[in-house]
Amino acid sequence: MELRQLSYFVAVAEELHFGRAAERLHIVQSAVSQQIQRLERELGAELFDRSPRRVRLTGAGERLLPEARAVLAAAERARAAVARPAGLRIGTSTGLGAHLDRVLDAFARRAPDVPVELYSLPAAERLARVAAGRLDAAFVRAVEAVPGVRVHPLWPDPLVAALPASHPLASRAEIGVEELAGLPLALTERRTNPALVDLVVGACREAGFEPLPGPSPGSLQDALASIGTRPLWTVVYASHARVLHSSRVAFVPFRAPGLALVTGLAVPAVAPSPHLSTLLLACDDHES
């Protein structure tokens, strides 16, 4: 007796029609008939009363049906017991710092058997992959709406100023944006991170000055390397600054109300991962 034969038998028993059962199983009708006949020969009993007008279960078929369903359910449970659990694919970026570690730790406590794969990608690529179903979720900051994606706000990410360690402002506990008016600003191009650029440039203008243009760095590492050798400034997420170490660069908080962007979790608008609710709870856990 084969599982395939039992699955064919259950399909015919539920449809009471060999043709419809074959369509449901996506196979030809002759294959269904042949397997049912083999099962009947093996069991030594007819399972269906076949007539030109209708198909119905015999007494033996009625007794076999619940047992066949139980065997198929047991086989499915056996497969599920050894199958690798579906993982969670998460898009990340630099700057998450300890936030990411705490979220992953909280998720592991809630779902220890669910593997997590991390993909560090530009923001636009993260959103595109979430919309296409190639990522289950992605951490993003202040992004514009994208079709097929919903963003759950998580936490504000404050920014700090990165200055040469030798600069007089580097020893201050906090600084105002206006105090940086004389230093060139090394900031990424707006097309790369419009929310960040608009926030920083807007804060400078509100403080009464137009920022002096500095070099446009290819990466944060490039910007920090430049700041270590010449008078420049840039901004770094406070959570990331805490894990950066440089004897030539100082990280100084901004005076209240400060500068911050909201980090959110981008997820597919339809058919989200079954682990999404657990991930959102893990995000809440990390802030508690």
Side-chain angles (χ1 to χ4, degrees):
M1 186 185 306
E2 300 177 6
L3 290 176
R4 178 181 56 171
Q5 293 171 335
L6 291 179
S7 67
Y8 290 6
F9 163 72
V10 170
V12 176
E14 291 176 347
E15 298 292 341
L16 293 178
H17 192 284
F18 280 81
R20 289 196 298 269
E23 290 178 4
R24 170 172 149 183
L25 295 165
H26 303 292
I27 59 175
V28 297
Q29 181 175 335
S30 59
V32 176
S33 298
Q34 289 171 4
Q35 291 301 322
I36 295 297
Q37 289 171 1
R38 290 179 183 176
L39 180 60
E40 288 175 325
R41 285 198 298 270
E42 183 174 345
L43 294 175
E46 289 191 357
L47 303 174
F48 295 100
D49 181 5
R50 304 165 177 85
S51 71
R53 294 186 177 181
R54 60 183 299 184
V55 174
R56 60 183 179 183
L57 286 165
T58 63
E62 291 177 350
R63 292 191 295 273
L64 177 62
L65 182 56
E67 303 299 333
R69 285 172 171 158
V71 169
L72 293 173
E76 186 59 34
R77 289 195 300 271
R79 278 190 289 266
V82 299
R84 186 175 184 268
L88 194 64
R89 302 161 298 174
I90 304 176
T92 67
S93 67
T94 58
L96 290 171
H99 284 300
L100 180 59
D101 289 335
R102 290 198 291 266
V103 168
L104 294 178
D105 287 344
F107 183 82
R109 288 194 297 271
R110 289 179 172 273
D113 296 327
V114 178
V116 175
E117 298 177 59
L118 301 179
Y119 298 84
S120 181
L121 300 162
E125 178 68 11
R126 270 174 274 152
L127 290 169
R129 291 197 183 192
V130 170
R134 295 165 58 199
L135 285 178
D136 299 304
F139 291 103
V140 294
R141 292 188 183 93
V143 295
E144 297 180 359
V146 173
V149 175
R150 185 172 68 253
V151 178
H152 297 266
L154 296 178
W155 57 75
D157 253 336
L159 293 160
V160 298
L163 305 163
S166 58
H167 195 278
L169 294 174
S171 60
R172 297 273 293 278
E174 59 181 23
I175 58 174
V177 176
E178 70 279 358
E179 297 179 83
L180 299 167
L183 282 177
L185 172 62
L187 201 58
T188 186
E189 296 180 4
R190 187 182 183 279
R191 62 181 176 81
T192 304
N193 196 334
L196 177 67
V197 172
D198 290 350
L199 176 67
V200 176
V201 173
C204 293
R205 290 170 178 166
E206 287 181 11
F209 71 96
E210 193 71 26
L212 296 173
S216 181
S219 66
L220 176 61
Q221 288 74 18
D222 293 339
L224 296 179
S226 297
I227 289 170
T229 60
R230 55 191 288 198
L232 296 166
W233 72 284
T234 190
V235 291
V236 178
Y237 293 104
S239 57
H240 191 38
R242 285 191 284 269
V243 299
L244 295 173
H245 303 285
S246 173
S247 60
R248 298 188 300 169
V249 179
F251 302 102
V252 186
F254 290 104
R255 187 178 303 124
L259 303 180
L261 287 176
V262 174
T263 292
L265 189 69
V267 302
V270 295
S273 164
H275 305 302
L276 175 59
S277 59
T278 304
L279 179 60
L280 287 170
L281 287 172
C283 291
D284 290 341
D285 286 349
H286 119 282
E287 287 295 291
S288 58

